[in-house]
Amino acid sequence: MPVSIAMAGKGGTGKTTVSGMLIKYLVNHGKAPVLAVDADANANLNEVLGLEVTETLGNAREEMKKGIVPSGMTKDVFISMKLEQAVMEQTGFDLVVMGQPEGAGCYCAANTLLTGFLERLAGNYPYLVMDNEAGMEHLSRLTTKNVDVLLIVTDTSRRGLQAGLRIQKLANDLKLGIGKSYIIINQAKSEPDDEVKTMIVDSGLELAGVIPADEEVYEFDLTGRPTVDLDADNPAMKAAYAIFDRIIP
Ligand SMILES: Nc1ncnc2c1ncn2[C@@H]1O[C@H](COP(=O)(O)OP(=O)(O)O)[C@@H](O)[C@H]1O
Ligand SMILES: [Mg+2]
């Protein structure tokens, strides 16, 4: 199974941005192919990577559930085809978008198929990067039950940090089987003070590093340019790479 790296943290802290930087890092450091999974219902990792999404696993699941199978095709063949269509193959990485969560009704059979598909798929990659939404609930429903590295992204606000520390506690309580958890302070306007550092250490977390607030990162997002197109000497990109050099196995 791949080394799996998952993002967590309050909304807007930079999980998707850091995911994009991480995927670029892994591809540039010969750790490819990477399986990138966008597990946020409001999927936008594709934008950071500069891709357009045509099919999601959620969509495939809906169609399975409705039982729409073209004539001349067995159900199994149709389902495999749909799921495979949801894997967007790029140079150095593939992206899978989970899409909208299931609606009402029983999705058990469809979910079993989907989980099996993702597990088999993940086996083909040395690295898996999962971008998440703010909550942790769905981390417990994860297909890949083990998370080797949990990156909790926070901004410099006290609330962001507290949310991060709660996530760490929840991850422990849910027994998610997390190898190692780190805090990344993103969008920083200054170095964290001692009080912040103490809060982190006291919670049993390790500060992986600080990524500065960078006008260009923000501008790229605002104008719809993919974050991964930032220059290697962009200060935020450089800081992120230095963090990954230290913590990525
Ligand atoms: N280091 C940074 N400097 C400036 N803006 C950033 C930085 N990191 C993220 N942002 C911006 O913050 C916003 C939220 O980032 P995003 O990655 O979507 O957060 P999340 O996935 O946690 O909700 C985006 O506009 C993004 O461009
Ligand atoms: Mg996001």
Side-chain angles (χ1 to χ4, degrees), residues 125-165:
Y125 302 81
Y127 283 87
L128 186 153
V129 174
M130 193 167 60
D131 184 23
N132 289 295
E133 50 197 58
M136 280 293 281
E137 298 71 23
H138 65 300
L139 262 189
S140 60
R141 287 191 254 117
L142 263 190
T143 47
T144 32
K145 280 164 214 82
N146 291 317
V147 173
D148 297 303
V149 180
L150 183 69
L151 298 183
I152 303 174
V153 184
T154 177
D155 48 27
T156 40
S157 74
R158 196 180 174 82
R159 261 188 307 234
L161 185 60
Q162 277 166 343
L165 303 184

Side-chain angles (χ1 to χ4, degrees), residues 10-17 186-187 211-214 217-218 221 236:
K10 200 166 75 70
T13 51
K15 297 178 292 298
T16 305
T17 304
N186 184 32
Q187 308 191 40
I211 302 176
D214 181 83
V217 172
Y218 183 73
D221 183 62

Side-chain angles (χ1 to χ4, degrees), residues 18-207:
V18 175
S19 296
M21 291 174 171
L22 176 58
I23 292 160
K24 181 171 172 159
Y25 171 90
L26 292 171
V27 173
N28 286 350
H29 285 74
K31 295 181 190 286
V34 178
L35 178 62
V37 178
D38 189 344
D40 190 338
N42 286 309
N44 57 7
L45 179 60
N46 63 295
E47 285 167 19
V48 160
L49 297 169
L51 306 172
E52 208 168 311
V53 177
T54 48
E55 185 62 283
T56 70
L57 288 183
N59 247 347
R61 181 179 50 201
E62 282 301 323
E63 291 192 29
M64 280 182 236
K65 182 158 184 278
K66 285 190 205 132
I68 316 164
V69 179
S71 61
M73 226 185 239
T74 67
K75 195 177 175 212
D76 284 1
V77 168
F78 176 67
I79 290 166
S80 315
M81 189 189 80
K82 275 284 172 203
L83 291 174
E84 263 147 38
Q85 276 172 2
V87 182
M88 302 170 64
E89 294 178 3
Q90 304 298 312
T91 315
F93 71 92
D94 293 346
L95 172 65
V96 173
V97 178
M98 302 297 282
Q100 291 296 317
E102 61 216 60
C106 181
Y107 281 78
C108 309
N111 275 338
T112 304
L113 276 169
L114 202 144
T115 307
F117 172 76
L118 264 181
E119 269 171 7
R120 279 193 308 279
L121 184 70
N124 300 328
Y125 302 81
Y127 283 87
L128 186 153
V129 174
M130 193 167 60
D131 184 23
N132 289 295
E133 50 197 58
M136 280 293 281
E137 298 71 23
H138 65 300
L139 262 189
S140 60
R141 287 191 254 117
L142 263 190
T143 47
T144 32
K145 280 164 214 82
N146 291 317
V147 173
D148 297 303
V149 180
L150 183 69
L151 298 183
I152 303 174
V153 184
T154 177
D155 48 27
T156 40
S157 74
R158 196 180 174 82
R159 261 188 307 234
L161 185 60
Q162 277 166 343
L165 303 184
R166 267 199 304 276
I167 287 168
Q168 162 72 358
K169 185 174 179 304
L170 193 62
N172 283 336
D173 293 350
L174 291 171
K175 299 198 170 42
L176 292 181
I178 289 169
K180 177 97 182 137
S181 305
Y182 294 98
I183 284 259
I184 291 180
I185 298 181
N186 184 32
Q187 308 191 40
K189 296 198 172 71
S190 59
E191 279 298 306
D193 56 32
D194 288 344
E195 194 192 339
V196 165
K197 287 183 180 157
T198 308
M199 272 171 81
I200 294 171
V201 173
D202 286 352
S203 70
L205 275 165
E206 192 178 313
L207 178 61

